[in-house]
């Protein structure tokens, strides 16, 4: 694994994303967001779309976890769901490409196993991260050969609706770390410095923090609601 990716060990990755319906949706703004994250001490960036990644890479020399979020009518999978999104990301060469690795079928009824096999055949040198929602999905992604196992989807799927990543001192993370061979990246609702520190203590390779740093409308909402 190259030095750039190794530099993520024990460090913070900041997710700089804004969807089309959000106020900060702009590659220019996400580039500046990544620069601000770097100034604050982030050692990596997670970003959505080739346009945002190109802008971010022009401004910061940090390893990037790249995704493309896209909705398809015949599938619940929206994080890097098809080869089209993989091809777009390969144009800007993020160090790691993340994809939905839940049990849901991809567009066209394709399974994760089929899709990952195709992707690895086409891009054998590329590093991939599995965005999982349960321990079972994490173990399956580990067996398939993903380089990184992520907890990104915990609580966001039907099968994980009752799960919270921080419950019982990050029980789900502890179980995944204990059972998988590949490196674990904690992600999802990790919204306090104490939680960031704890998941690294529990054995995660790195940790991604997003909304609490980069989505001001959600941060504002928490403060405003406290007064309602």
């Amino acid at each position: 694994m190259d030095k750039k990716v190794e530099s993520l060990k024990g460090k913070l990755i900041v997710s700089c994303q804004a969807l089309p319906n959000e106020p900060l949706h702009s590659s220019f703004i996400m580039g500046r967001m990544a620069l601000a994250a770097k100034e604050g001490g982030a050692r990596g960036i997670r970003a959505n779309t080739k346009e945002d990644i190109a802008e971010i890479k022009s401004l910061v020399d940090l390893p990037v976890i790249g995704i493309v979020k896209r909705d398809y009518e015949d599938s619940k999978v929206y994080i890097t769901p098809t080869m089209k999104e993989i091809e777009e990301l390969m144009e800007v060469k993020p160090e790691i490409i993340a994809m939905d690795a839940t049990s849901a079928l991809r567009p066209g009824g394709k399974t994760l196993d089929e899709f990952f096999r195709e992707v690895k055949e086409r891009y054998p040198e590329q590093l991939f991260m599995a965005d999982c929602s349960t321990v079972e999905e994490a173990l399956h992604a580990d067996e398939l050969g993903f380089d990184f196992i992520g907890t990104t989807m915990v609580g966001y799927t039907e099968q994980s609706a009752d799960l919270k990543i921080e419950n019982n001192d990050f029980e789900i993370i502890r179980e995944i770390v204990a059972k998988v061979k590949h490196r674990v990246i904690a992600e999802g609702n990790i919204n306090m410095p104490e939680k960031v520190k704890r998941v690294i203590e529990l054995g995660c390779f790195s940790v991604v923090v997003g909304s609490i740093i980069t989505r001001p409308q959600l941060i504002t909402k928490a403060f405003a609601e406290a007064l309602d």
Side-chain angles (χ1 to χ4, degrees):
M1 208 165 285
D2 73 21
K3 281 184 185 171
K4 226 172 169 184
V5 175
E6 283 293 345
S7 71
L8 293 172
K9 183 174 170 59
K11 301 298 182 185
L12 174 68
I13 299 165
V14 171
S15 182
C16 298
Q17 299 180 43
L19 296 172
N21 63 337
E22 294 182 80
L24 298 191
H25 178 65
S26 150
S27 296
F28 174 83
I29 293 172
M30 286 305 108
R32 296 310 185 273
M33 193 71 87
L35 195 54
K38 182 186 176 181
E39 283 189 13
R43 296 293 179 85
I45 303 293
R46 178 162 161 135
N48 172 37
T49 75
K50 68 178 183 181
E51 294 80 9
D52 284 13
I53 293 167
E55 177 68 16
I56 286 165
K57 278 182 166 281
S58 75
L59 292 169
V60 299
D61 186 28
L62 294 176
V64 171
I65 300 173
I67 62 170
V68 176
K69 287 182 175 175
R70 188 166 285 143
D71 293 319
Y72 287 82
E73 284 184 7
D74 63 340
S75 175
K76 291 177 182 170
V77 174
Y78 60 91
I79 298 176
T80 322
T82 75
M83 193 62 81
K84 174 178 164 63
E85 289 76 38
I86 298 282
E87 300 284 8
E88 289 173 15
L89 289 168
M90 290 306 295
E91 290 177 37
V92 289
K93 298 184 169 56
E95 282 69 21
I96 301 165
I97 289 177
M99 66 174 77
D100 180 303
T102 68
S103 56
L105 291 176
R106 309 185 96 75
K110 191 168 282 187
T111 65
L112 174 65
D113 299 44
E114 292 170 309
F115 181 62
F116 189 62
R117 190 163 56 244
E118 284 175 25
V119 169
K120 280 301 280 186
E121 277 175 18
R122 193 172 296 188
Y123 300 108
E125 301 302 311
Q126 176 64 41
L127 297 173
F128 291 99
M129 173 176 169
D131 288 348
C132 305
S133 73
T134 65
V135 173
E136 292 73 27
E137 289 168 353
L139 294 176
H140 185 61
D142 188 52
E143 280 174 25
L144 286 178
F146 278 86
D147 304 281
F148 299 95
I149 310 299
T151 55
T152 321
M153 302 297 287
V154 174
Y156 294 101
T157 61
E158 282 176 24
Q159 62 272 26
S160 71
D162 298 331
L163 299 176
K164 280 199 163 60
I165 199 170
E166 69 269 31
N167 275 10
N168 304 320
D169 188 27
F170 297 100
E171 183 179 15
I172 191 166
I173 284 181
R174 283 186 281 132
E175 190 173 346
I176 291 170
V177 168
K179 291 180 175 176
V180 301
K181 300 186 293 288
H182 294 92
R183 295 168 175 198
V184 176
I185 296 179
E187 181 174 5
N189 293 306
I190 298 171
N191 52 11
M192 291 163 65
E194 295 79 10
K195 292 182 185 179
V196 166
K197 190 164 183 282
R198 184 63 180 144
V199 296
I200 295 299
E201 286 171 355
L202 293 173
C204 289
F205 173 70
S206 188
V207 54
V208 177
V209 177
S211 298
I212 199 67
I213 296 175
T214 57
R215 283 198 160 101
Q217 72 274 25
L218 297 183
I219 303 162
T220 304
K221 191 165 179 267
F223 283 92
E225 284 178 352
L227 300 177
D228 288 341

